[in-house]
Each structure stands twice: as structure tokens, then as C-alpha cells.
């Protein structure tokens, strides 16, 4: 099939689509495409995900407005189906790849999922299909890994037997569908004709600008935009720690600084998590053979990775003020997901904090309203505790009834890493807040 024929099939919605990887990114995309009028087959190696989707249910937890309904509606109509068998892909015209792309302990890409998906796909890819990699990848991966594997496994040639492009995803948990529909997209094709067809396809469901380009630019844009954010957050975190020593309030400083044109200090916080910001800067730095000159990006990563250790230090300072130490204290961590309103615990700063504290304090408990293992009554969990450590800005913590904790906790200490508790609502608690030098 030529790109002209594919374009016609996209226009009249007879193109058959596939999304490989039904996670936070792939599943909302599959449901959106199905809702657009296409037949969509989702593929995942996790059998329980496939079964859940085929029942019309949503395996993604947390608050995802509209997603349950969209999956349910499109599975019921037959537009969305899931499978674990790559052989079912034999008649697909467009294949989106949305598998995880983490980094290893050496900060290099761990492409096991991507490579496995490409080998499986290469064996069954129909002639004339368009493959779009949406997973975030290190710049150069399209040319060095994706194209060679697909050519080798299929025995076909790029731009003759199949077409290839990169369109990185920009979603955030909690807003998955809204982000897919409303955020602009960069579509990087192997050539301009492929980018043009990709742009036409994305325009059907994205109500924002679509920017066609080459694939190295698309790979760079994604990893650079997340690296930019990581560096900005690291700057905010460094200023927060500086303010603590000066007895100042970083939130007030930030507000006033941001009144100057072109200043945009980000939020400081107890750490950076998820399947994007903590690893995409490493995907960027690992793209070049000589990375010795890179100083800022690795430093930002280390600052942000160090925030759970800083929270530990704030906790120890607070306990000391109360005449206690960690070994004598029962601690309750509030929030295990990395992001408010989400169940996503990948690279969560709370996981690092748990590791640091578990062998050092008398007892450690964790609460999170969105993660089944940590749900439970917060006020019951707080019984006999000496300190609460707020790690995630879940809305439930903004409405914490501090007075209900008074009779239950053994010592009254809150260490707040997300600016959740207002000083005038601390009700007799010692409140230590990240980035605030004053103690109430
Ligand atoms: N989570 C985010 O907020 C976000 C945002 C933008 C971009 N991204 C990028 O999108 C990609 C996917 O991220 P995610 O959060 O959806 O990951 P995820 O772990 O939630 O989902 C990936 C899915 O792919 C499946 N999978 C793995 N190997 C497979 C294979 N060989 N065949 C079929 N299925 C396979 C997994 O079982 C899993 O269900 C990553 O590259 C990530 O960097 C993520």
C-alpha cells in the first residue's frame, strides 16, 4: 500500500489501527482512536490488562476523567479490542508503539520492552503499514535501533515496504485524555511524506497544533522538554534549601521573583517521580558518545534525586527539636504515588524515603488514598505516631483534619514536602516545611 492509499483509508476511517502497550499512555490513545471511528486492536504482554480491557474496564487507577466511560463505550461497540497475540496484527494499517522505556542503574536506556515489541512486530508487519513510535526514546534510536530491527525482522525496506515515524506523547497521569486531545504534537517522519500523513492522522483527534518534522528533531524535542523541566525543578529545590537556611519562605520568594518578566521558578518539592522526568534527561545524555562536557543536566538529576534525603534530614531536625530521634519514633508517610490524584508509583520519591527510613525508625507506616496497598483510615494509622511526612499533594491531605490528630499522635510533628499545610492551621503541631526557614 502506498502512502496515498493509506491517507485515503485514514480519511474514510477504514484504516485498521493497533496500539502496542496498554499502559498510562497507550490505553487512553487506543480508546481515543476507537472513539474517532477506527477499529483499534490493543496489544499487551500483561494478560490481566488484556482481559480487563476486553471486559470494558479500565486497569489504570487514580482519577482519570472520562477514561472508564470511553473504554467501556468503545469495547461495547466493538471498536476497541485487546489481544496478547501479535499474529492478530496481520491486517493492521497503522501501528503505534507505546511500551515503557526506562533507564538502568547505569543511566543508559533499558530497551528490553521496546526491542521485544519491535521483534514481535517485525515478524507480522503487513506490507505498507505505518509504524509510529510514541514511547520516549533517546535521540538517534529511530535510526539506530527501530529501523534496523523492523527491516531485519520483516525482510522489507523502509519507505518501500513500510513507513516509520516518531510522535512522542506529552500526557500526564490525571489528565490523560485531556492531554491527548488538547496538547500540540510533534510528528517526525522518516521522510516528509510520512510526516504529512502522520500529521493528518493526529489532526483527527488532537485539537492543537501539529508540527511535522524529521525524527531526530522529534526525539530531541521530547527529551529536551522533560530535561528542561527537571533542571527547572532542581533550581527551585536548590533555592528552597537555601531559603531554609536563611529563615525565608521560598514560596513567597518565588511568587515575587516570578513578577519579573521571563522568570518562571517552578515548584520545589519532596522529589521528582514518574515514568518521564526522572529518566528522560538520562535518555538525552546517553544519546551522544562524548558526554564529558555535560554538567548541568546530571547535576539537576542528582539534586532532584537527593530530595528524599533532604526530607529525611528535615524530619530528623524536627524530631530533635522535640527531644527525639528516628530510632525512638513512629513515622507515617502521607502519599506514595509520585503525583497528586494518581496511583502511579514509578520512581516515586516516597519509595526512596521508605528505603532510607525503614531500618532507622521505630516503625514506619504509609498512607495513600489511590494505592490499594496503602489505603486505610489515615487517622487510625496516625495513632501513636510521632511525625507525619507529607510527600504527595493529594487533595485529601489539603483537607486533613489536624484537630482529629491531636489526641491520637504521640508527638505533634508534621514535615511537609509539598506546601500542603497552612501555618495558621497547624493547631499546636510543630510544622517543618520544605523551603521555609521559620518553624511554627
Ligand atoms: N506515563 C507518562 O506520564 C508518560 C508521558 C509521556 C510519555 N511517556 C512515555 O510513554 C511510554 C509508555 O509509558 P507508560 O507510562 O504508558 O508505560 P506503562 O508501563 O504504563 O505501559 C507500558 C505497557 O507496555 C506493555 N508492554 C511492555 N512490553 C511489551 C511488548 N513487548 N508488547 C506489548 N506490550 C508490551 C506493558 O505490559 C505495559 O502495560 C514510555 O516511553 C514513557 O516514557 C509516559
Amino acid at each position: 500500500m502506498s502512502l496515498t492509499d493509506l491517507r485515503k483509508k485514514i480519511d474514510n476511517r477504514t484504516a485498521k489501527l493497533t496500539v502496542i502497550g496498554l499502559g498510562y499512555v497507550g490505553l487512553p490513545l487506543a480508546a481515543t482512536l476507537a472513539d474517532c471511528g477506527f477499529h483499534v486492536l490493543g496489544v499487551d504482554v500483561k494478560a490481566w490488562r488484556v482481559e480487563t480491557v476486553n471486559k470494558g474496564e479500565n486497569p489504570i487507577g487514580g482519577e482519570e476523567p472520562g477514561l472508564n466511560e470511553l473504554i467501556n463505550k468503545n469495547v461495547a461497540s466493538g471498536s476497541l479490542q485487546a489481544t496478547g497475540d501479535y499474529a492478530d496484527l496481520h491486517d493492521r494499517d497503522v501501528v503505534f508503539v507505546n511500551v515503557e522505556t526506562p533507564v538502568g542503574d547505569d543511566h543508559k536506556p533499558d530497551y528490553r520492552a521496546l526491542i521485544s515489541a519491535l521483534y514481535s512486530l517485525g515478524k507480522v508487519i503487513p506490507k505498507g503499514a505505518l509504524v509510529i513510535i510514541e514511547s520516549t526514546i533517546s535521540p538517534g534510536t529511530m535510526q539506530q535501533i527501530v529501523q534496523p530491527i523492523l527491516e531485519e525482522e520483516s525482510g522489507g525496506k523502509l519507505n518501500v515496504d513500510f513507513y516509520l515515524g516518531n510522535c512522542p506523547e506529552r500526557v500526564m497521569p490525571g489528565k490523560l485524555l485531556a492531554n491527548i486531545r488538547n496538547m500540540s504534537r510533534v510528528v517526525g517522519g522518516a521522510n516528509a511524506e510520512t510526516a504529512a500523513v502522520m500529521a493528518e492522522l493526529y489532526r483527527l483527534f488532537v485539537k492543537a497544533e501539529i508540527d511535522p518534522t524529521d525524527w531526530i528533531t522529534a526525539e530531541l524535542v521530547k527529551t529536551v522538554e522533560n530535561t528542561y523541566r527537571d533542571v527547572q525543578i532542581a533550581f527551585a529545590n536548590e533555592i528552597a534549601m537555601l531559603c531554609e537556611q536563611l529563615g525565608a519562605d521560598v514560596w513567597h520568594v518565588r511568587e515575587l521573583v516570578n513578577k519579573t518578566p521571563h522568570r518562571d521558578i517552578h515548584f520545589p518539592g519532596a522529589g521528582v517521580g514518574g515514568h518521564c522526568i526522572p529518566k528522560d534527561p538520562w535518555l538525552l545524555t546517553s544519546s551522544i558518545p562524548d558526554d564529558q562536557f555535560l554538567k548541568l543536566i546530571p547535576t539537576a538529576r542528582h539534586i532532584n534525586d537527593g530530595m528524599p534525603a533532604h526530607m529525611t534530614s528535615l524530619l530528623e531536625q524536627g524530631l530533635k527539636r522535640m527531644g527525639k530521634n528516628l530510632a525512638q519514633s513512629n513515622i507515617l508517610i502521607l502519599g506514595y504515588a509520585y503525583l497528586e490524584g494518581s496511583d502511579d508509583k514509578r520512581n516515586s520519591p516516597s519509595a526512596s524515603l521508605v528505603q532510607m527510613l525503614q531500618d532507622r525508625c521505630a516503625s514506619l507506616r504509609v498512607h495513600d488514598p489511590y494505592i490499594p496497598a496503602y489505603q486505610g483510615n489515615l487517622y487510625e494509622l496516625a495513632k501513636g505516631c510521632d511525625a507525619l511526612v507529607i510527600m504527595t499533594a493529594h487533595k485529601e491531605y489539603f483537607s486533613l483534619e489536624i484537630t482529629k490528630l491531636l489526641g491520637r499522635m504521640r508527638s505533634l510533628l508534621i514535615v511537609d514536602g509539598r506546601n500542603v499545610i497552612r501555618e495558621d492551621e497547624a493547631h499546636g503541631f510543630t510544622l517543618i516545611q520544605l523551603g521555609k526557614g521559620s518553624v511554627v
Side-chain angles (χ1 to χ4, degrees):
M1 183 171 51
S2 68
L3 277 174
T4 313
D5 292 337
L6 178 60
R7 190 185 285 243
K8 279 189 203 137
K9 285 181 109 178
I10 290 170
D11 280 349
N12 63 26
R13 309 289 198 276
T14 55
K16 292 183 174 162
L17 314 187
T18 266
V19 178
I20 300 179
L22 297 175
Y24 286 91
V25 166
L27 181 54
L29 172 72
T32 302
L33 292 167
D35 209 50
C36 227
F38 293 104
H39 181 266
V40 182
L41 189 58
V43 188
D44 207 290
V45 286
K46 289 185 183 137
W48 70 271
R49 273 190 180 257
V50 170
E51 282 161 26
T52 309
V53 172
N54 280 335
K55 278 192 258 170
E57 291 167 13
N58 175 16
I60 299 173
E63 292 179 352
E64 288 301 344
L67 188 57
N68 293 355
E69 297 77 9
L70 203 69
I71 293 170
N72 190 272
K73 175 183 154 197
N74 285 286
V75 170
S77 72
S79 307
L80 176 62
Q81 289 173 307
T83 181
D85 187 355
Y86 273 83
D88 295 340
L89 270 57
H90 62 90
D91 63 349
R92 299 287 115 180
D93 300 302
V94 183
V95 180
F96 296 83
V97 179
N98 293 62
V99 298
E100 68 270 25
T101 48
V103 294
D105 292 340
D106 58 356
H107 302 151
K108 302 285 181 222
D110 171 354
Y111 280 157
R112 277 174 295 181
L114 179 66
I115 289 173
S116 156
L118 291 171
Y119 273 109
S120 306
L121 173 64
K123 290 184 179 61
V124 296
I125 186 174
K127 224 171 156 47
L130 166 63
V131 179
I132 300 174
I133 307 297
E134 283 211 346
S135 294
T136 306
I137 48 181
S138 182
T141 302
M142 290 299 294
Q143 193 177 358
Q144 290 156 26
I145 294 179
V146 180
Q147 179 186 344
I149 294 180
L150 288 180
E151 286 189 333
E152 186 190 315
E153 281 307 297
S154 67
K157 261 273 9 77
L158 174 65
N159 296 332
V160 178
D161 300 298
F162 66 93
Y163 309 99
L164 193 51
N166 174 230
C167 178
E169 188 55 82
R170 284 176 159 157
V171 298
M172 253 184 98
K175 304 176 192 144
L176 294 172
L177 284 180
N179 285 166
I180 286 178
R181 290 168 182 152
N182 301 323
M183 289 185 85
S184 71
R185 299 294 287 268
V186 177
V187 290
N191 56 26
E193 295 75 38
T194 304
V197 174
M198 289 168 69
E200 204 157 304
L201 174 56
Y202 279 86
R203 280 195 193 103
L204 297 177
F205 59 96
V206 175
K207 307 286 164 254
E209 245 174 295
I210 305 291
D211 296 302
T213 184
D214 53 81
W215 62 27
I216 187 74
T217 305
E219 291 169 313
L220 271 161
V221 168
K222 174 66 194 180
T223 44
V224 170
E225 71 194 25
N226 279 354
T227 301
Y228 174 85
R229 190 149 176 80
D230 199 46
V231 170
Q232 295 290 332
I233 294 170
F235 178 76
N237 283 336
E238 196 159 274
I239 298 301
M241 293 185 280
L242 184 147
C243 286
E244 283 167 12
Q245 292 202 26
L246 291 172
D249 176 348
V250 71
W251 294 92
H252 191 46
V253 170
R254 174 184 175 275
E255 185 193 336
L256 300 185
V257 168
N258 286 351
K259 291 189 176 187
T260 313
H262 314 302
R263 308 303 192 274
D264 179 22
I265 298 188
H266 284 33
F267 286 2
V272 169
H275 190 48
C276 288
I277 310 287
K279 54 99 180 169
D280 291 353
W282 296 128
L283 290 178
L284 178 61
T285 60
S286 64
S287 64
I288 48 171
D290 177 11
D291 62 358
Q292 292 306 303
F293 70 97
L294 294 173
K295 302 282 183 278
L296 181 63
I297 299 170
T299 302
R301 268 297 55 245
H302 292 305
I303 291 171
N304 290 336
D305 273 351
M307 294 314 287
H310 183 65
M311 290 297 291
T312 304
S313 149
L314 292 179
L315 173 63
E316 287 186 288
Q317 288 169 36
L319 290 170
K320 197 168 166 198
R321 280 188 199 145
M322 315 200 67
K324 297 205 162 189
N325 60 31
L326 268 179
Q328 301 163 320
S329 303
N330 303 320
I331 310 296
L332 174 58
I333 294 176
L334 298 187
Y336 196 80
Y338 87 93
L339 184 70
E340 55 273 17
S342 170
D343 70 336
D344 193 346
K345 52 184 193 289
R346 289 174 295 175
N347 301 311
S348 166
S350 300
S352 306
L353 186 69
V354 166
Q355 252 187 354
M356 282 171 209
L357 294 181
Q358 62 192 359
D359 296 329
R360 295 187 58 205
C361 55
S363 78
L364 187 63
R365 300 166 204 175
V366 180
H367 175 266
D368 193 299
Y370 298 90
I371 299 180
Y374 301 123
Q375 285 163 347
N377 187 310
L378 188 159
Y379 301 96
E380 288 301 307
L381 284 169
K383 265 187 189 160
C385 280
D386 297 289
L388 304 183
V389 184
I390 302 179
M391 292 294 286
T392 314
H394 286 314
K395 66 179 187 313
E396 289 77 358
Y397 302 147
F398 284 92
S399 50
L400 197 65
E401 291 180 63
I402 304 263
T403 48
K404 265 173 84 171
L405 294 165
L406 288 173
R408 290 180 159 90
M409 287 181 62
R410 190 168 65 172
S411 319
L412 302 183
L413 172 64
I414 297 178
V415 182
D416 180 2
R418 298 287 177 191
N419 200 28
V420 165
I421 307 292
R422 281 181 37 192
E423 289 175 14
D424 57 356
E425 289 177 349
H427 294 296
F429 271 80
T430 294
L431 177 63
I432 296 204
Q433 294 191 283
L434 178 83
K436 291 192 187 179
S438 55
V439 173
V440 180

